[in-house]
Amino acid sequence: MRRFLDASTAWCACTCTALMILLHAPEASAQVINFGLPLDGIAGDNVHVFNDTPNATFTYVITHSDPAILGVSLSSSGPWTETVNVTVTTDAAGNGVSTTWFTLGEAVGTAQQHACRVGVTPPCGNQVNFTVVTVDEVTLISVNRPLDSNPAVNPGGGLRMFPDRDHPNDTANSVRVRVRARLTAAVANITVYFRSFDVDDPSTNDTAVDPDGAGVLDNRGTPRNGLIGPVGGSGSSATIVLNSDANGIAEADLQVSRFAGDNYRVATAVRAAVISGINAAGTELRDGAGTPLPTVRAKSTPMLTVWRRVHIERDSMGPVSGNATGGQIVSASPGAAGQSVVLVLAGALTVNQYENGILDISGIGAFPIVQNSVTTFTVQGSVPSSAAGMLFSAVDDDDFDGNDNPKNGDAGDDVVAPAAVYSKMQPSDLVTENAFARAYIKPVWDGGGGTTSHDNGDVGFVVNVDTTANEPIEAQIGAGRGSTSELDDFWVGYFQDSYQPEVGRDADPNVEIRVGYGVSPRCTCADIGGSGSVPRGSIGSLTFVEVLRDRFDPLASVDTAAHELGHQFGLMGDGAGNQGIMNGQSFEFIPAHINMLRWRVKSPGEQ
């Protein structure tokens, strides 16, 4: 009877895994038996004799073909040698069983073992072909979500996974990845141990993001190590024990979290003592002796890092209309050298709202506006007194796309933000193109629902959106938004290319101190947050393309959309101090904000 046990296991714990009878009788025929043995595994064996000389004692020599692969001993604890002798004492019927010997798998490979009676040269009796195996490699295989190479923003390398839905109605399990361990030979029924680990976040040791610094317990999901379970099942623990199939393969499923930046490795081995001795050290896994994996006795998957996607709907107001004022001329009189002062009946104007614009007087001509008061325009040129009673129209210097000559208040131009406004939230893995990459978040420009049909290029033009209250902003967002299927595993961000905020913040005149580059309503935003305290963000954002043109602030021109998406995620940063992209100080998020982004569970605007 062949017994198999782990080298570290007591003999009394052996279990019978195969039966081998070594016959010694004239009528017996030899057999060839193939037996798989884990590296460092031990098999216990006996010689069985039938119908031989009654009441006799025989000695058998146990030999094997390759002492580098197999060792034998009369004790389960060794010492291990090339040969051992065992004795069989027969009963009155000529039957007997030898004392037990043990075989150790010392190295990977195949070797033959014989038990021959003293004086007989192998081959004799049954031949056992021992194939000693270990895990040759362990790989990660996509199940319902593709895996690709982890981009350079994560210096730990490895693979990346997006464990979220592809579209709102997607019901496939998105958090599962297959772990495949392949043995060094196609041997069935070898016990294979799988164990998952939370390895260190390689992107930073800043404790605002990675509380344990260079430690290894920084995943946000629970449990931190992920869950290992049978193929197609639910993970139940960080360790699972399986048997290899006829191809020498064992597979399990790893269940990951949906927290951006969580990272995992899975170790495999064919011995319990080996798998239990493995520990995470930085981004590596090391065995009980401190040797980094892979070793001959244990293998590890590449590091797997969780990324998240935010699906973007982008609308725009459509063609500009009504961006002018008009009325009747009351009088025209000379002003400073080369200028005229024109009194109008057009209601109360906003002081200097129309500076650098154009005053067009019906039947007389167009005049550049130098400045305006509540009731007058000061223009360049000589306006005759006969202008009294004439109709006029006035436009300011608005020209968000720089194509009006002469100036006409952008009449008929589609309101579309220049590419620079969204240049820091591209569908890219580069920090220079995607400010959210350090938080392991990637924008996807698919209409916010897996279909670009939600993207509306003609929401309806509004010259000045009132941003003094949440309601008119939300109404403007609601006029266009079609992406409403937000879920914890399907994030949606919303943008509307808009013209300008209310008079007084629209950079007309240019000297206005507080202007609006963008706005995100009803944000209960914060600068610090973590588990259980990630604030509600905004339901969407308006980007004011004409103000960006008026001010021509290079930093604001390229970080506005990413800044506003930060508000949708619940980030504040508009106060004093260096708050990075959330305070117009750089093109990157500060560590505290990266931490909040990585704790995010709900879609932007939700809590």
Side-chain angles (χ1 to χ4, degrees), residues 39 169 212 229 256 286 300 375 384 388 434 441 446 448 462 470 475 487 503 559:
L39 180 63
N169 297 321
D212 70 342
V256 303
R286 297 182 179 178
S300 168
T375 57
N434 172 18
I441 297 172
D446 63 354
V462 177
N470 288 308
L487 300 163
V503 174
D559 76 1

Side-chain angles (χ1 to χ4, degrees), residues 116-142:
C116 298
R117 190 171 290 182
V118 171
V120 178
T121 302
C124 56
N126 288 355
Q127 173 182 305
V128 181
N129 293 328
F130 278 100
T131 299
V132 181
V133 296
T134 186
V135 176
D136 186 45
E137 66 174 1
V138 57
T139 55
L140 296 174
I141 301 172
S142 65

Side-chain angles (χ1 to χ4, degrees), residues 329-510:
I329 302 293
V330 175
S331 64
S333 58
Q339 297 180 354
S340 299
V341 177
V342 180
L343 178 64
V344 300
L345 290 176
L349 305 173
T350 298
V351 175
N352 285 336
Q353 180 180 357
Y354 292 90
E355 68 177 4
N356 300 319
I358 297 292
L359 179 68
D360 194 323
I361 303 174
S362 178
I364 294 180
F367 300 85
I369 299 172
V370 178
Q371 61 185 16
N372 70 272
S373 69
V374 175
T375 57
T376 64
F377 291 100
T378 299
V379 300
Q380 193 71 41
S382 178
V383 179
S385 60
S386 60
M390 299 292 184
L391 297 178
F392 78 91
S393 66
V395 297
D396 62 17
D397 61 349
D398 289 351
D399 183 14
F400 79 92
D401 51 3
N403 67 350
D404 296 339
N405 188 19
K407 296 173 183 176
N408 63 2
D410 284 321
D413 292 346
D414 279 337
V415 177
V416 178
V421 172
Y422 294 94
S423 63
K424 294 300 179 182
M425 47 179 295
Q426 298 182 53
S428 171
D429 300 324
L430 301 176
V431 175
T432 54
E433 298 175 353
N434 172 18
F436 294 87
R438 291 205 189 280
Y440 303 98
I441 297 172
K442 189 172 185 176
V444 179
W445 295 83
D446 63 354
T451 169
T452 55
S453 64
H454 290 156
D455 293 335
N456 185 350
D458 192 9
V459 172
F461 183 75
V462 177
V463 177
N464 295 96
V465 177
D466 180 8
T467 66
T468 61
N470 288 308
E471 289 74 16
I473 308 171
E474 291 171 340
Q476 185 62 40
I477 290 173
R481 182 166 186 168
S483 55
T484 57
S485 299
E486 296 183 81
L487 300 163
D488 290 358
D489 54 355
F490 190 83
W491 289 354
V492 177
Y494 177 82
F495 286 89
Q496 188 181 128
D497 293 347
S498 304
Y499 200 60
Q500 55 193 5
E502 70 275 6
V503 174
R505 293 191 64 201
D506 61 358
D508 295 314
N510 289 335

